[in-house]
Amino acid sequence: MAGPNGGGQQPAPGVEARAGRFPGPSLIPKLNAIQREHGWLPREELVKVSRDERRPLYEIEGLISFYPHFRTELPRKVELTVCQDLSCWLHGGEERLAELRARYGDDIEVEFHEVSCLGRCDIAPAVAVNERPAPAADTERLVEEARDGRVSAASARLSGERWANDPYEPDARDYRLLRAVLEGTPAGEEVVGRLKESGLRGMGGAGFPTGTKWELVAKQEARPKYAICNADESEPGTFKDRQIMAEQPHLVLEGMLIGMAVTGADEGWVFIRHEYGPEEEVLREEIERLRGLGVLDGTDLKIDVFVSPGGYILGEESALIECMEGHRGEPRNKPPFPGVYGLWGKPTLMNSVETFAHVPVIVERGAEWWKAQGVRDGTGLKFFAVSGHVERADVYCVPMGTTTRELIELAGGVSGGAELLAFQPGGASSNFLGPDDLDVPLDFGPLQEAGSMLGSGALTVIAEGTDLLAAGTNVLRFFRNESCGKCVPCRVGSHKAHEMLTEAVATGNGPADLEDRLTELEATLRLTSICGLGQVALGPVMSVIGMERGGTEARPHPRPARPPDNASGS
Amino acid sequence: VAVTAPPASRTVTLTIDGHELTVPEGTTIWDAAKEAGIEIPVLCHDERYDPVGVCRMCVVDVGARVYAAACVRPCEEGMEVKTETPEVEQRRATLTQLLLVDQPPTEDDPKETTTADNELLELARRYGLQREDGIPLAYGRGEDHSNPVISVNHDACILCDRCVRACDDIQGNDVIGRSGKGYAARIAFDLNDPMGESSCVTCGECVAACPTGALVNKPIRDVPIRPRSELDSVETVCPYCGVGCALTYHVDRERNAISFADGREQPGSHRRLCVKGRYGWDYAQSPQRLTTPLIRREESYPKGPLSSDVRGEGRGRRKPGGIVSYDEVLPHFREASWDEVLDLVAGRLTAIHGEHGPGSIAGFGSAKCSNEEAYLFQKLIRAGFGTNNVDHCTRLCHASSVAALFEGVGSGAVSTTYGDIVNSDVAILAGTNTTANHPVASSFFKQARRRGTTLIVVDPRREKIADHADIYCQIKPGTDVAFYNGVMHEVIRLDLVDREFITQRVTNYGELAKVVRQYPPERAAQICGIKADTIREVARLWGEAGAAIIFWGMGISQHTTGTDNARCLIALCSITGQVGRQGTGLHPLRGQNNVQGASDSGLIPMFYPDYQLVTLDEARERFETAWGRELDHERGLTVTEIMGSALKGGVRGMYMMGENPFLSDPNVNKVRKALATLEFLAVQDIFLTETAEFADVVLPASSYMEKEGTYTNTDRRVQIGRKVLDPPGEAREDWRIVCDVATRIGLPMEYDSPREIFDELVSLMPNYAGLSYDNLSAAGKLYPNPDPEHSDGTVVLFDEQFGTDDGKAHLVPAEWLPAKELPDEEFPFVLNTGRLLEHWHTGSMTRRSYALDTIAPDAHVYLNPDDAEAMGIAEGDYVRITSRRGSIELAAKLSFRDTPGTCFIPFHFREAAANVLTIDEIDPTGKIPEFKFCAVKVERAGPQEERSESAGVREGAG
């Protein structure tokens, strides 16, 4: 059976060879079904899928070895996963990991492994027991529950606060804006116009102007078109989309549906990371509620949730699309961009959770209202996940242009009243800034001028007394772990750089003798990697190199600002 | 610099290193730069594959935030590309360094120590890099030597994905992919299995693709692999199947041996090879080659089989890889001089001819010999002995197809090439295990399907190609006529016929329509077991296709209804006008490398060269004039008829050039009696074959590798096979031996070279007109070819008329008839026979190839797992298969590809010869035996100690 992107289709210019991406429908649902039935993927079942579906075994191997969700061994009673990415690391994750390893490493009932960021930086250090996220302090209780087979499901944490971007009263979430758009008032062009005028930019990291993206997808002639809400935030320190989905699922869905109506996409998915089980539940309930309201009756609009089989790289838009098509989540060479050549080679509107969530209020209150929400030349509202050394790690909705100092104050200040050493304003891929930059407005331009970026909207705070080089190396370690391995610079370069830095951190000697080499590697990764992961992998650690480590004098060296990537759609 | 744009396409203008270029939209920067004479370094890119842009070596500065990979990035209007700035070069050097540190030390590098063309190390030298320069080294990611001829070294792998694309996009074998993620990623076979245990078919395309030492050839027969420049290269053609892939042997002259083979560019193979072509050539270097003429000792008369195996009374199981026991057989022969044996052959045949007349002589030529040799051999039999009793193994493969094609369209050759499938909307593959028997042709089918051709596979056995089908019809064995009649019924009912084509170019449509009217899909479904709706869908797809094509193999031809089966395919194409245009037509996939050419050259009892009927006075007179002898007026006997005649005292003297009927013909026990009955048998071969055990004289011949000649592939492509090696000992070229025999019986044949013979042959064969050794060039030429100096030849035949007398297609309706021997209570299974990818016919070549024999050493019967379970048979258990004609024992393989109630045995294995079981019923028109259908019973052979020790050929059960 030819798949949706099977033979016969003339690829658009620049579409790379399939190289192992076998045509045909995705096998991931079949593999998920086997894993649900058996708890893992026995070889005979895989051979059977290959035979029944007439798909090569290598394709299955490629998937099950790429996605951490798939298990090729019989699972034990308890699966204990522990995070030690930056926010958890800052909360003693490394020591906690060692303790838990000593305690459970040889326990035949417990499968113990370290994982990348669980997206629970607000309860750092975080663990998950049989996929139930929890603070590490709860490990023992949950492990014992799991041994007895009674580990309870977690539910999404709700603050109940109505954030400023929500035009709805809590009991009146009736999708009136979507209804209006479906009725043609405002018309699609008008919606695009308001978005363009509002200056709303993509909140997933690249900051591409949202209205322009919608316009581009709307004018594509190819059919069908698709829409994807990128809910795969997985970067250390980043959990704002998680909280938006928990608290504003109606805005996320409405924003995406308005986008679908405006651009002509019939099918849409929320691509949510596997670790967000509780939030997935909220979304599914909201979709049921939405259907119950009958808003979509009489339209061709269909929406669903697609659960990621795992991996930070899937947050990269083309890797996400590859995953949805049933391939290894390896980013594509771009152009073409998803707006032109996306899912199954069709025009695809992709925005992040936060971007979609901001759409309804802009549609209702207009561009001027939105612009007026910002401060210090900032435009609109911005969600931040604040974690690390702060008193109240949480998600905050603040005016764009708020400073780091203000945000840290909102979060109760640096933990224990300590002095600030450094911070990452935009997630793991943003360069470290120091105390001198506390008053830089958290906005695209100013942060870029300061040598960092707004990135994924995650402020990670580091207090005095922290080994900054070790922190930078921890960030690099995350990128090394999450590299898909497709291209040489990222696959090999991130690994070699991490090896060299680990050595430098362990021996306590400054990496001065390695600086030239790392500088060259950073340039090579930044300039030649296929996707953003490799391009930024060495940036943060390079931003702390050359400084005295951990002392009060430590200040990161911002690199000169780079021009924005206007071509990027993510 | 301006690059010529295809007409009517849009162009973009850009500058590359200051050169302004205008290129067609969609052109990559790399291609544009190449046109401008700028070479951008690459590792993952190769023009044979679509680009993936993973190594990043080809990055260029396009003035953006990051560099662009030139191999995959399309040129854009106004783009300013810089390919060689110091910054770009520095980044490339760093990328090279990153890969270099994980490589094995150069002195251990699998590529650098063999062919010495490691592309990564070349780049390292260009940038002046050392492996050890401070970046941590990594070494020890593993090696895999499980494949007998290919080594995998994961340290040397740079994950360029070339092998992945070679395996999938080029060969369609779909074995190699990436496993793991990030730095731990590596290439893997199937579910990360050892290569030798995976579904890899060892085509070696991945080795040809690999830029480093990750995938390399292992030496065969201890002949070291060295740089190409240190070896002698011979550009020739593969000796195995009818696809006729072009290849180059790299020859170690000091050892008079082949070191390794490479695919070579040719329109029908595009540098692709299969396991036989790339690794199966060492049979010629076997120590078992015959090197001296042999005469049967007097004490070894009366004649009969000399080995216990061939006698069928074997004591002790032959070890796997069984071939004729030289120890047992050779003592029955004495060495002789060429003069003595040639005199003996000429004298004895002349004497029999004198005493019993022309009809007492017969000759079997071979589809493995050249056109020149086939031509001379039939000339010897016809002009020298005055009989048309000359035939060859085409009788056993496509005789029925050829008969139907002659009757229907007036030509036995294919109407278009297999590569033409790229222009087809729909293709039917009927009864062809193409991935095993025409592997490189199958790669064209798989590629076409991925580009959008709808592939319909019709075969009772779910062969591998069925895995690639859009629609797979697993018909019941022997029901082809019913299936295709059902399809035609529906095509006519839906009025999807081409009325204009029928009116102008087809006769007898009315009769056909009348017959197929009796086959509504529901009735056809009852017979063939395919749902009526599927039959309708096939009919609709075929009828609505702009261009549709049919390929078929032995599954169509090797039936007592073989001619009828082929008639249906001809009719289906004809009534829908699907012949005579690009992407349409009839293509019987020919088996042997020269079965097309041997038939063309007259090695068949009813035709002179170029299919001129022996019964036609005009034709006979033409050849009588050319050869200066009076010729036989009657058509001669076919292969199967000759064996029957020998048993009855008709044929008494035989000359066999390169055929081994003992194993290839149906009903071995009957053939054994026939061969033993012959008064005189001369066997000319390169090994002692089973048939040679019945010989009076054995003539040591040259292998394909040791002579020059032309070979015609299934596409009608005539190619020159070049001499690669010197013949061993006193072995001589076949054509010289034939000439010497002919001269001694009074038919002087004095040729200096195959070239001279070819010229004579061409002068008598209008279809080959114009071809000569001088214009065949490296890639050969298709015939007919009105302008061989400039043209590759005619791809599509019958564009205006067919080859029949009136130029029209003659439809012959066929009624479905059941096979001759249906399963019953005693013999409840249907036996199907065929081939394996690794083996060739009777195995005399392939079982002497290290690679092929190592990969597939054993005979197996393939049983459906449900049947096996019901009989308590497990994988590897020995089972006894018995038909009314004989019984064999061999190990069972459980196979989902066979339906319940059927079993499959490859016929290559003499220790478990399938043809002990097969029935010698033949098709009335094509005279082809029903190899694809007979009734057998299957039993457990009991535990080892109780089992008869003989696995070989045993006397018949009934």
Side-chain angles (χ1 to χ4, degrees):
Chain A
M1 293 293 122
N5 65 341
Q9 186 172 298
Q10 281 302 313
V15 173
E16 63 199 54
R18 56 190 197 87
R21 280 170 282 170
F22 210 74
S26 171
L27 293 181
I28 291 175
K30 295 249 183 294
L31 298 173
N32 281 335
I34 294 172
Q35 187 150 306
R36 264 198 304 278
E37 187 185 340
H38 298 270
W40 64 300
L41 299 170
R43 183 183 170 99
E44 312 78 67
E45 296 292 326
L46 300 178
V47 171
K48 190 169 178 302
V49 167
S50 162
R51 179 181 301 165
D52 293 350
E53 304 299 317
R54 298 187 299 168
R55 301 279 283 272
L57 289 166
Y58 87 72
E59 186 192 7
I60 295 172
E61 169 65 22
L63 297 174
I64 64 177
S65 64
F66 187 89
Y67 293 114
H69 172 55
F70 293 122
R71 304 163 154 276
T72 51
E73 284 170 14
L74 196 65
R76 299 185 196 182
K77 233 174 184 172
V78 184
E79 187 198 25
L80 169 60
T81 56
V82 183
C83 168
Q84 67 147 328
D85 284 316
L86 189 60
S87 298
C88 289
W89 181 83
L90 289 170
H91 284 101
E94 208 166 356
E95 298 74 40
R96 191 56 66 104
L97 184 77
E99 281 167 36
L100 292 173
R101 190 187 300 282
R103 175 150 190 189
Y104 295 111
D106 297 326
D107 190 324
I108 53 160
E109 283 192 327
V110 179
E111 191 179 315
F112 176 88
H113 46 93
E114 197 194 321
V115 287
S116 287
C117 179
L118 290 162
R120 305 285 162 184
C121 318
D122 44 346
I123 54 169
V127 300
V129 177
N130 290 2
E131 301 190 348
R132 184 201 197 286
D138 293 353
T139 308
E140 190 179 343
R141 177 174 60 80
L142 288 169
V143 166
E144 292 317 310
E145 281 180 14
R147 282 192 214 275
D148 298 340
R150 55 180 175 87
V151 64
S152 54
S155 51
R157 185 176 65 81
L158 298 175
S159 69
E161 184 186 351
R162 182 179 159 202
W163 282 319
N165 68 325
D166 191 345
Y168 290 104
E169 295 295 329
D171 53 355
R173 296 169 170 181
D174 60 357
Y175 293 87
R176 60 174 181 265
L177 298 162
L178 172 62
R179 289 181 208 262
V181 171
L182 288 172
E183 282 161 16
T185 47
E189 301 84 45
E190 171 63 20
V191 173
V192 167
R194 284 181 204 175
L195 289 176
K196 286 173 83 172
E197 209 188 318
S198 75
L200 179 66
R201 294 170 67 174
M203 296 298 171
F208 192 81
T210 305
T212 308
K213 184 184 273 189
W214 287 29
E215 188 175 49
L216 177 86
V217 177
K219 77 173 189 208
Q220 296 303 310
E221 283 169 12
R223 292 287 185 285
K225 297 178 190 177
Y226 303 108
I228 298 167
C229 172
N230 186 341
D232 197 51
E233 66 173 358
S234 304
E235 195 160 305
T238 311
F239 51 96
K240 65 176 174 67
D241 287 349
R242 184 198 82 196
Q243 216 47 35
I244 295 170
M245 285 187 286
E247 317 229 15
Q248 303 184 325
H250 58 298
L251 296 185
V252 178
L253 297 178
E254 185 168 35
M256 179 162 78
L257 284 160
I258 291 173
M260 291 166 68
V262 166
T263 58
D266 289 339
E267 259 185 292
W269 294 266
V270 178
F271 186 98
I272 189 168
R273 66 177 302 199
H274 184 251
E275 292 79 1
Y276 284 177
E279 291 74 19
E280 177 199 340
E281 204 49 45
V282 174
L283 268 182
R284 289 193 187 277
E285 281 168 17
E286 181 64 18
I287 290 175
E288 277 315 302
R289 198 180 71 83
L290 165 62
R291 286 183 185 135
L293 288 173
V295 188
L296 302 182
D297 294 355
T299 75
D300 292 329
L301 303 181
K302 288 190 285 284
I303 52 169
D304 203 349
V305 175
F306 188 106
V307 179
S308 163
Y312 165 64
I313 191 61
L314 303 184
E316 198 284 338
E317 55 182 358
S318 61
L320 185 157
I321 286 171
E322 288 292 327
C323 172
M324 285 189 67
E325 290 183 1
H327 309 140
R328 290 162 64 83
E330 295 171 348
R332 297 171 176 172
N333 280 280
K334 292 183 282 187
F337 292 96
V340 177
Y341 188 91
L343 186 64
W344 312 118
K346 301 298 180 191
T348 301
L349 176 70
M350 197 185 310
N351 279 124
S352 70
V353 169
E354 183 182 347
T355 314
F356 277 135
H358 288 325
V359 167
V361 77
I362 296 174
V363 171
E364 179 154 281
R365 298 183 189 164
E368 289 311 316
W369 178 87
W370 177 254
K371 285 197 275 193
Q373 303 307 303
V375 295
R376 301 186 186 90
D377 297 333
T379 293
L381 299 163
K382 178 78 193 99
F383 283 92
F384 278 94
V386 183
S387 67
H389 293 147
V390 288
E391 285 293 326
R392 287 194 302 274
D394 206 341
V395 173
Y396 299 89
C397 181
V398 295
M400 185 74 96
T402 302
T403 64
T404 302
R405 189 187 304 279
E406 290 164 350
L407 190 52
I408 291 176
E409 277 165 19
L410 208 54
V414 178
S415 304
E419 285 293 309
L420 178 95
L421 174 64
F423 64 94
Q424 276 187 304
S429 50
S430 61
N431 288 344
F432 286 88
L433 297 176
D436 294 349
D437 301 309
L438 274 171
D439 296 315
V440 174
L442 291 166
D443 196 353
F444 291 99
L447 282 171
Q448 193 176 314
E449 277 163 36
S452 189
M453 61 178 179
L454 187 61
S456 60
L459 174 68
T460 309
V461 177
I462 301 180
E464 285 280 356
T466 308
D467 180 339
L468 206 48
L469 185 67
T473 304
N474 176 283
V475 171
L476 171 59
R477 178 180 147 282
F478 170 79
F479 291 121
R480 190 276 313 262
N481 289 346
E482 293 301 318
S483 168
C484 74
K486 179 174 179 174
C487 70
V488 171
C490 176
R491 180 181 75 236
V492 187
S494 66
H495 179 80
K496 298 295 180 189
H498 181 256
E499 277 198 310
M500 290 188 278
L501 279 160
T502 303
E503 171 73 17
V505 169
T507 58
N509 296 320
D513 53 329
L514 289 174
E515 192 171 340
D516 289 347
R517 190 180 297 285
L518 289 169
T519 303
E520 170 54 27
L521 278 180
E522 192 278 331
T524 300
L525 265 67
R526 172 164 43 85
L527 291 166
T528 72
S529 294
I530 291 178
C531 80
L533 191 155
Q535 289 163 12
V536 305
L538 282 177
V541 70
M542 288 305 292
S543 72
V544 302
I545 276 191
M547 300 309 303
E548 286 184 42
R549 300 169 53 211
T552 48
E553 299 301 310
R555 295 290 181 273
H557 273 174
R559 278 181 295 106
R562 288 185 256 114
D565 178 14
N566 292 325
S568 171
S570 66
Chain B
V1 184
V3 178
T4 329
S9 86
R10 287 188 291 181
T11 59
V12 294
T13 300
L14 73 163
T15 62
I16 301 183
D17 294 344
H19 304 271
E20 188 172 294
L21 289 100
T22 299
V23 297
E25 193 175 42
T27 305
T28 64
I29 295 174
W30 195 86
D31 286 337
K34 192 174 172 232
E35 286 287 335
I38 298 164
E39 202 186 315
I40 301 173
V42 284
L43 282 172
C44 71
H45 187 49
D46 180 311
E47 288 171 277
R48 295 188 69 203
Y49 317 119
D50 293 333
V52 289
V54 301
C55 78
R56 316 306 285 175
M57 206 59 70
C58 69
V59 289
V60 291
D61 188 342
V62 294
R65 182 176 60 86
V66 297
Y67 295 158
C71 71
V72 66
R73 182 69 172 269
C75 295
E76 290 163 24
E77 185 64 37
M79 204 178 228
E80 287 183 25
V81 181
K82 298 192 187 81
T83 72
E84 250 190 347
T85 66
E87 292 77 17
V88 166
E89 281 289 279
Q90 179 57 47
R91 304 290 103 81
R92 289 179 186 151
T94 301
L95 291 170
T96 308
Q97 186 74 58
L98 284 174
L99 291 171
L100 192 63
V101 295
D102 285 356
Q103 288 284 304
T106 306
E107 61 273 19
D108 297 336
D109 181 72
K111 191 141 203 166
E112 210 59 6
T113 52
T114 53
T115 47
D117 53 352
N118 186 318
E119 295 175 31
L120 175 64
L121 296 182
E122 273 172 44
L123 275 176
R125 285 190 282 269
R126 165 176 165 166
Y127 291 115
L129 305 173
Q130 297 300 316
R131 181 165 160 268
E132 300 186 25
D133 90 322
I135 293 182
L137 303 178
Y139 194 41
R141 284 187 288 172
E143 297 176 19
D144 176 358
H145 301 290
S146 58
N147 184 293
V149 287
I150 299 173
S151 281
V152 187
N153 183 317
H154 290 288
D155 282 321
C157 177
I158 57 170
L159 288 169
C160 66
D161 288 344
R162 277 205 217 172
C163 58
V164 173
R165 285 171 283 166
C167 188
D168 273 28
D169 300 357
I170 304 295
Q171 289 272 0
N173 288 329
D174 313 328
V175 180
I176 314 180
R178 281 186 175 208
S179 173
K181 180 177 172 182
Y183 188 69
R186 55 180 220 167
I187 58 161
F189 304 87
D190 289 351
L191 292 173
N192 204 7
D193 299 320
M195 186 183 200
E197 290 166 28
S198 73
S199 62
C200 165
V201 293
T202 316
C203 69
E205 192 74 42
C206 56
V207 175
C210 183
T212 68
L215 288 156
V216 296
N217 290 327
K218 293 182 184 172
I220 290 175
R221 286 184 193 262
D222 295 328
V223 181
I225 296 174
R226 291 195 282 146
R228 290 172 181 80
S229 59
E230 295 174 18
L231 298 165
D232 193 13
S233 298
V234 182
E235 296 196 340
T236 181
V237 182
C238 173
Y240 281 105
C241 83
V243 175
C245 299
L247 50 64
T248 301
Y249 291 120
H250 300 283
V251 185
D252 188 327
R253 286 291 167 214
E254 283 163 34
R255 293 175 170 83
N256 189 34
I258 294 169
S259 172
F260 66 101
D262 275 328
R264 194 161 62 76
E265 189 49 46
Q266 185 249 68
S269 56
H270 291 320
R271 288 155 66 182
R272 301 170 203 174
L273 293 171
C274 75
V275 63
K276 295 189 285 282
R278 201 183 299 271
Y279 299 109
W281 31 259
D282 55 320
Y283 67 90
Q285 290 144 244
S286 161
Q288 291 190 318
R289 283 289 300 278
L290 295 170
T291 55
T292 320
L294 301 172
I295 293 176
R296 196 181 194 95
R297 291 182 190 276
E298 281 184 25
E299 55 270 32
S300 297
Y301 287 90
K303 281 200 293 184
L306 297 172
S307 66
S308 51
D309 296 332
V310 174
R311 279 195 297 274
E313 61 184 28
R315 290 264 166 268
R317 181 186 302 284
R318 247 183 326 281
K319 57 185 179 298
I323 37 184
V324 171
S325 162
Y326 277 48
D327 293 345
E328 221 177 337
V329 175
L330 268 184
H332 293 280
F333 291 92
R334 67 174 173 83
E335 296 187 349
S337 71
W338 271 109
D339 272 337
E340 186 184 2
V341 288
L342 289 169
D343 285 344
L344 187 60
V345 172
R348 291 297 305 279
L349 290 177
T350 309
I352 292 170
H353 180 259
E355 198 176 330
H356 302 284
S360 62
I361 303 294
F364 286 176
S366 169
K368 288 231 99 51
C369 288
S370 66
N371 287 325
E372 292 80 355
E373 288 163 344
Y375 171 79
L376 288 189
F377 190 80
Q378 60 88 35
K379 182 176 171 183
L380 164 71
I381 301 293
R382 290 195 157 113
F385 294 104
T387 174
N388 286 320
N389 290 344
V390 62
D391 204 356
H392 74 293
C393 56
T394 187
R395 192 63 45 211
L396 309 175
C397 60
H398 266 307
S400 47
S401 310
V402 170
L405 285 166
F406 263 98
E407 168 193 85
V409 297
S411 161
V414 298
S415 81
T416 190
T417 63
Y418 50 80
D420 198 19
I421 191 175
V422 73
N423 299 307
S424 311
D425 302 311
V426 173
I428 290 181
L429 301 184
T432 169
N433 182 6
T434 166
T435 56
N437 299 328
H438 310 90
V440 170
S442 82
S443 71
F444 284 77
F445 303 157
K446 291 181 271 192
Q447 275 190 324
R449 193 248 165 175
R450 284 178 186 172
R451 288 180 188 146
T453 302
T454 300
L455 212 57
I456 300 168
V457 171
V458 186
D459 200 310
R461 221 184 156 228
R462 183 179 171 159
E463 304 289 5
K464 266 191 178 175
I465 193 69
D467 298 347
H468 298 264
D470 293 287
I471 299 180
Y472 169 49
C473 300
Q474 189 159 33
I475 59 170
K476 292 180 190 162
T479 63
D480 303 78
V481 168
F483 175 79
Y484 294 104
N485 277 352
V487 171
M488 284 191 280
H489 174 102
E490 195 64 8
V491 164
I492 292 172
R493 192 186 72 79
L494 294 172
D495 199 21
L496 295 172
V497 294
D498 184 336
R499 298 215 164 273
E500 194 183 329
F501 193 90
I502 291 171
T503 312
Q504 292 174 3
R505 303 195 50 187
V506 170
T507 67
N508 212 27
Y509 173 70
E511 285 303 307
L512 179 94
K514 203 190 289 176
V515 169
V516 302
R517 198 171 302 141
Q518 308 308 314
Y519 290 84
E522 282 72 14
R523 181 179 170 225
Q526 280 176 353
I527 301 170
C528 71
I530 301 300
K531 282 186 197 142
D533 281 348
T534 308
I535 295 175
R536 289 195 184 95
E537 193 185 354
V538 170
R540 192 184 50 74
L541 282 167
W542 180 272
E544 290 176 353
I549 192 166
I550 296 187
F551 297 91
W552 74 92
M554 311 289 92
I556 287 293
S557 62
Q558 288 178 339
H559 285 284
T560 48
T561 58
T563 306
D564 281 346
N565 294 347
R567 282 170 175 152
C568 290
L569 306 183
I570 294 164
L572 179 59
C573 280
S574 301
I575 65 173
T576 48
Q578 296 292 9
V579 62
R581 286 178 290 119
Q582 223 182 31
T584 72
L586 297 153
H587 192 125
L589 286 152
R590 312 307 300 260
Q592 295 270 14
N593 61 334
N594 201 37
V595 67
Q596 182 67 48
S599 304
D600 292 347
S601 305
L603 210 56
I604 17 185
M606 46 293 254
F607 294 121
Y608 295 123
D610 212 13
Y611 307 98
Q612 303 176 61
L613 267 176
V614 296
T615 47
L616 212 64
D617 289 345
E618 194 186 305
R620 193 182 65 253
E621 282 157 20
R622 188 177 310 132
F623 283 93
E624 284 179 340
T625 309
W627 294 340
R629 289 289 191 285
E630 200 176 308
L631 300 177
D632 189 359
H633 290 236
E634 302 296 324
R635 86 176 213 8
L637 300 177
T638 62
V639 163
T640 29
E641 289 168 335
I642 286 169
M643 286 299 148
S645 167
L647 279 174
K648 285 181 255 156
V651 169
R652 290 160 183 266
M654 281 198 74
Y655 182 3
M656 293 200 194
M657 176 175 77
E659 290 257 298
N660 186 15
F662 183 82
L663 275 191
S664 62
D665 289 14
N667 196 349
V668 165
N669 290 319
K670 186 170 160 187
V671 175
R672 174 175 22 234
K673 285 182 199 138
L675 290 172
T677 311
L678 290 171
E679 276 179 35
F680 181 77
L681 172 63
V683 170
Q684 176 173 322
D685 217 310
I686 63 172
F687 296 113
L688 214 47
T689 61
E690 290 78 0
T691 304
E693 293 188 30
F694 300 86
D696 296 270
V697 170
V698 180
L699 306 166
S702 56
S703 79
Y704 171 88
M705 304 291 170
E706 296 142 14
K707 62 192 174 190
E708 189 174 56
T710 58
Y711 299 83
T712 306
N713 83 348
T714 187
D715 274 351
R716 299 177 259 108
R717 181 174 298 280
V718 184
Q719 303 181 90
I720 300 177
R722 308 272 178 194
K723 180 177 166 181
V724 182
L725 303 168
D726 292 324
E730 292 176 47
R732 299 178 71 204
E733 291 112 308
D734 295 81
W735 64 272
R736 287 190 199 274
I737 304 171
V738 173
C739 285
D740 285 349
V741 171
T743 305
R744 277 174 165 78
I745 65 158
L747 179 72
M749 283 193 188
E750 285 158 7
Y751 302 96
D752 286 334
S753 67
R755 171 188 292 260
E756 204 179 317
I757 306 166
F758 188 72
D759 290 341
E760 177 177 321
L761 165 166
V762 168
S763 73
L764 292 165
M765 294 174 57
N767 267 309
Y768 278 53
L771 300 181
S772 75
Y773 270 50
D774 291 330
N775 62 30
L776 286 177
S777 75
K781 289 281 151 69
L782 297 176
Y783 81 77
N785 192 331
D787 181 18
E789 301 298 329
H790 306 100
S791 159
D792 190 47
T794 308
V795 173
V796 177
L797 298 182
F798 316 136
D799 53 342
E800 283 170 4
Q801 54 175 8
F802 292 100
T804 47
D805 296 344
D806 57 3
K808 294 187 173 184
H810 299 169
L811 304 190
V812 183
E815 293 280 2
W816 173 72
L817 293 169
K820 290 292 180 188
E821 185 183 64
L822 296 174
D824 55 22
E825 227 167 87
E826 193 185 354
F827 299 101
F829 279 82
V830 175
L831 170 69
N832 186 359
T833 68
R835 293 198 262 145
L836 297 179
L837 166 66
E838 293 81 6
H839 284 295
W840 191 261
H841 289 198
T842 64
S844 53
M845 290 159 68
T846 52
R847 300 195 84 184
R848 288 178 174 90
S849 148
Y850 165 73
L852 304 174
D853 191 52
T854 307
I855 296 170
D858 298 318
H860 289 102
V861 56
Y862 294 73
L863 292 170
N864 181 276
D866 293 341
D867 283 346
E869 196 184 347
M871 292 183 286
I873 295 167
E875 174 96 12
D877 283 357
Y878 268 76
V879 294
R880 183 181 305 111
I881 313 287
T882 308
S883 77
R884 289 183 172 83
R885 291 152 297 280
S887 176
I888 61 174
E889 288 180 15
L890 72 179
K893 224 183 194 33
L894 308 192
S895 150
F896 73 97
R897 299 191 180 276
D898 296 272
T899 47
T902 68
C903 59
F904 175 82
I905 304 178
F907 74 93
H908 317 288
F909 299 90
R910 63 195 294 277
E911 63 269 35
N915 283 325
V916 167
L917 308 170
T918 49
I919 187 168
D920 52 343
E921 288 284 349
I922 58 174
D923 174 87
T925 317
K927 312 289 184 192
I928 192 168
E930 187 146 57
F931 285 120
K932 297 295 187 201
F933 199 121
C934 74
V936 296
K937 69 178 162 199
V938 178
E939 305 158 283
R940 272 181 63 104
Q944 184 87 29
E945 55 279 10
E946 287 170 29
R947 197 171 59 238
S948 149
E949 291 254 292
S950 168
V953 178
R954 299 198 300 155
E955 200 58 44

